[in-house]
Amino acid sequence: MKQGEVRVRIAPSPTGYFHIGTARTALFNYLYALKTGGKFYLRIEDTDKERSEKKYEEDILEGMKWLGFTYEPEVLRQSERGEIYGKYVRKLLEAKKAYYCFCSKELLDKEREEQMAKKMPQVYSGRCRNLSEGEIEEKFAKGERAVVRIMTPLMEITFSDAIRGEVKFDTQYIGDFAIAKNADGKTLEALYHLAVVIDDYETNITLVIRGEDHLANTPKQILIQEALDLPRPEYAHLPLILDEKRAKLSKRFAATALSDYRKEGYLPEAMRNFLTLLGWHPVDDKEIFTLEEIAAEFTLERIQKGGAIFDGKKLRFLNAHYLRSKSDVELAGLLEIEVTEQNCKKIAAVKERMDTLSQFSILTDFFDALPEYPAERLIWKKSDKETTGKNLLKISEIFNTNNNFSQAKMAIETYAEEEGRGEVLWPLRVALSGKEASPGPIEIMEVLGLAESQERVKKALKNLGF
Ligand code: GLU
């Protein structure tokens, strides 16, 4: 490793779909690597065999790709590294910095209850700390299984967090925690904290940027580092993402899976922009930036300590902005529709009204098939049935006498100026779309063509009883 080289990582657990909070952590790590010219690693933390699933890992990889976050080619999977972890656990056992513990769940529960009653910290009592070699061998020979616990010295652990400043933990509340399980004297399964420490060490991670929910894990991981005499990386714990009532973000408030946003038709550039603002602030109040702009300005100092509120409206606003900045042809590509003149006209007609891609079909369905609508909808709020009918008859006549689009358009506009825009353009728009809200009538006519527009106006007249 080069002197001074920055190495960061994202270490998702594939126990659920790629979470929006993990995506934010990935982004901040990625930005930091971009800013410093450092390396960015992806590690799959699948030590929890029961809860980890391949489909979740695939979702994470897809999400990273969609967001455009590139990482170093060697992806670590903890499930493939059991032997490596085993070596470190054995080293700790040999150095008497860790020990086998055979206490049953019942015994541990009882101990915890007693501690609770005495208002003592609920940590492991250390009962198995002093088992002799002989006792251990005997238990293994009888087929008993053990966990391996690290010996935690009573002390205060202090570390400096780039966002939160100095953080202190008293180890009397941590106790001798397990670093491996299912030990039968020969094999064992490493547990989460141990795997994190070894992987960070073996990939030379210099800075751990992760969610605040991991803050309480840090002293445990530091204890393992110290027992193994490993260097300590720097830490930066990102603020929690909260809903508008300042509760932890949950599915009830907003989708928490990144893929849901992708399916809904959010653009990766909007999502990146949005996630950046979940805890980080630029020097000015600018809200819209490209990834390059953010990376240039990004510093850990500008990350807030307090919770970051998830503002769905802002996400839609940003998405609408990025959608509008696309050309019609680009949007056709994103919508996965053919680039025909007709489709481009449809896109142009609704682009300003879309804040997600999935709205396109809702906003344009009436082009292909006129929906049923109540006749009263044709009547503008300040008008009446008679005037509406009269105006639609006039429009129909314009269609009859002008077979060229721009002539028809001009004639309608002139008529609207004379009779009042609302009086003429409202019923025409409803006649063409059937909808309460839609693009303007001239834009719709452009997509439908004169013949179909005439058909729809005739239908409206019939609907009104003319
Ligand atoms: N696997 C943890 C998670 O998915 C991350 C652990 C870490 O970053 O150290 O939240």
Side-chain angles (χ1 to χ4, degrees):
M1 185 172 73
K2 278 187 255 129
Q3 193 68 27
E5 185 179 68
V6 166
R7 288 171 166 240
V8 290
R9 78 330 188 249
I10 179 72
S13 305
T15 52
Y17 292 107
F18 195 19
H19 194 276
I20 192 110
T22 315
R24 187 209 37 186
T25 306
L27 169 70
F28 282 32
N29 276 287
Y30 181 66
L31 286 171
Y32 194 78
L34 276 185
K35 169 80 187 249
T36 56
K39 288 191 165 150
F40 178 42
Y41 287 86
L42 170 66
R43 173 166 92 219
I44 301 292
E45 297 207 319
D46 50 359
T47 43
D48 185 341
K49 290 201 189 78
E50 279 89 60
R51 291 175 57 227
S52 296
E53 285 189 45
K54 211 66 194 168
K55 68 171 184 199
Y56 296 138
E57 182 182 319
E58 279 157 18
D59 187 61
I60 292 164
L61 298 180
E62 245 173 67
M64 291 288 286
K65 195 166 156 204
W66 181 70
L67 286 168
F69 299 162
T70 47
Y71 42 85
E72 295 300 310
E74 57 270 33
V75 173
L76 293 194
R77 269 180 202 79
Q78 293 187 328
S79 56
E80 294 164 3
R81 295 171 52 78
E83 269 178 45
I84 299 168
Y85 306 137
K87 271 194 277 176
Y88 286 92
V89 178
R90 268 182 274 282
K91 211 163 138 186
L92 288 171
L93 285 165
E94 274 157 31
K96 303 249 175 294
K97 289 183 173 172
Y99 59 92
Y100 290 111
C101 164
F102 297 87
C103 293
S104 65
K105 185 176 175 296
E106 293 70 36
L107 191 60
L108 294 176
D109 286 347
K110 194 166 148 260
E111 231 175 58
R112 212 168 297 127
E113 271 167 36
E114 283 167 12
Q115 286 165 336
M116 228 158 30
K118 291 187 200 149
K119 297 205 160 48
M120 280 165 62
Q122 289 149 50
V123 294
Y124 179 62
S125 64
R127 180 192 311 270
C128 290
R129 264 192 182 201
N130 299 315
L131 291 180
S132 69
E133 298 279 330
E135 283 169 307
I136 294 168
E137 260 171 50
E138 204 179 300
K139 285 179 185 290
F140 280 137
K142 276 199 282 179
E144 280 189 46
R145 296 272 170 132
V147 299
V148 178
R149 291 183 185 275
I150 187 152
M151 284 205 207
T152 298
L154 275 180
M155 63 186 286
E156 191 174 67
I157 292 187
T158 309
F159 63 92
S160 110
D161 185 281
I163 299 162
R164 327 193 71 76
E166 197 177 75
V167 183
K168 288 183 181 165
F169 282 93
D170 191 332
T171 62
Q172 68 162 314
Y173 300 102
I174 297 175
D176 295 350
F177 60 94
I179 53 171
K181 65 174 185 180
N182 260 334
D184 59 7
K186 289 185 206 73
T187 55
L188 45 81
E189 262 175 62
L191 287 170
Y192 173 70
H193 292 302
L194 181 90
V196 169
V197 168
I198 303 308
D199 291 341
D200 282 343
Y201 167 64
E202 292 208 338
T203 37
N204 290 305
I205 297 302
T206 57
L207 168 65
V208 171
I209 305 176
R210 61 185 174 195
E212 193 189 307
D213 44 336
H214 290 287
L215 192 65
N217 292 336
T218 307
K220 290 187 177 172
Q221 295 173 6
I222 288 177
L223 282 166
I224 301 174
Q225 284 156 10
E226 304 214 323
L228 284 166
D229 214 8
L230 305 179
R232 183 190 298 188
E234 286 183 78
Y235 289 97
H237 287 91
L238 303 175
L240 291 179
I241 302 177
L242 307 175
D243 66 18
E244 60 196 358
K245 291 193 180 122
R246 307 197 68 83
K248 200 171 163 204
L249 190 68
S250 71
K251 277 191 206 152
R252 258 178 301 134
F253 177 73
T256 51
L258 183 73
S259 47
D260 284 343
Y261 293 91
R262 200 173 64 203
K263 285 180 215 142
E264 181 68 29
Y266 286 92
L267 299 178
E269 44 271 61
M271 189 46 97
R272 284 194 303 251
N273 196 149
F274 174 70
L275 292 174
T276 306
L277 296 171
L278 276 181
W280 180 83
H281 293 281
V283 180
D284 49 30
D285 283 333
K286 219 169 105 177
E287 283 204 310
I288 293 174
F289 355 60
T290 63
L291 193 66
E292 290 69 31
E293 285 168 342
I294 308 165
E297 231 190 280
F298 188 78
T299 58
L300 296 176
E301 286 74 35
R302 299 203 65 81
I303 298 176
Q304 71 198 45
K305 279 200 203 68
I309 309 283
F310 185 100
D311 179 354
K313 271 200 228 93
K314 183 178 280 176
L315 175 57
R316 282 194 296 281
F317 158 79
L318 290 169
N319 205 51
H321 165 83
Y322 286 101
L323 283 173
R324 276 199 299 275
S325 69
K326 300 274 177 202
S327 69
D328 298 345
V329 172
E330 280 171 326
L331 280 175
L334 289 164
L335 289 161
E336 297 176 11
I337 57 174
E338 251 184 281
V339 186
T340 57
E341 202 188 329
Q342 186 74 351
N343 279 341
C344 285
K345 279 183 189 166
K346 277 191 198 173
I347 290 171
V350 299
K351 193 158 138 180
E352 296 292 320
R353 305 176 145 259
M354 270 184 349
D355 50 22
T356 61
L357 289 171
S358 66
Q359 284 169 347
F360 179 74
S361 58
I362 303 163
L363 290 171
T364 58
D365 57 357
F366 68 88
F367 284 118
D368 300 321
L370 180 68
E372 292 292 325
Y373 62 91
E376 305 79 69
R377 187 172 289 164
L378 289 160
I379 304 167
W380 186 50
K381 59 178 188 284
K382 293 186 192 157
S383 189
D384 54 49
K385 191 170 157 183
E386 286 312 306
T387 324
T388 306
K390 183 194 85 183
N391 288 338
L392 283 174
L393 277 170
K394 174 68 188 179
I395 291 169
S396 181
E397 202 184 299
I398 292 176
F399 284 145
N400 271 341
T401 46
N402 294 276
N403 52 11
N404 161 300
F405 179 79
S406 39
Q407 276 171 5
K409 174 180 158 187
M410 238 161 46
I412 290 171
E413 275 171 351
T414 312
Y415 182 64
E417 287 309 322
E418 289 162 15
E419 297 296 314
R421 294 182 66 81
E423 290 281 10
V424 174
L425 298 180
W426 174 274
L428 174 58
R429 199 189 54 68
V430 175
L432 298 179
S433 70
K435 300 215 170 193
E436 198 70 54
S438 74
I442 304 292
E443 287 160 285
I444 303 178
M445 271 168 51
E446 209 168 342
V447 179
L448 293 180
L450 292 184
E452 176 64 17
S453 300
Q454 170 73 305
E455 279 298 303
R456 293 190 182 192
V457 168
K458 282 188 176 156
K459 207 166 175 180
L461 281 164
K462 211 164 128 206
N463 239 348
L464 267 186
F466 276 80

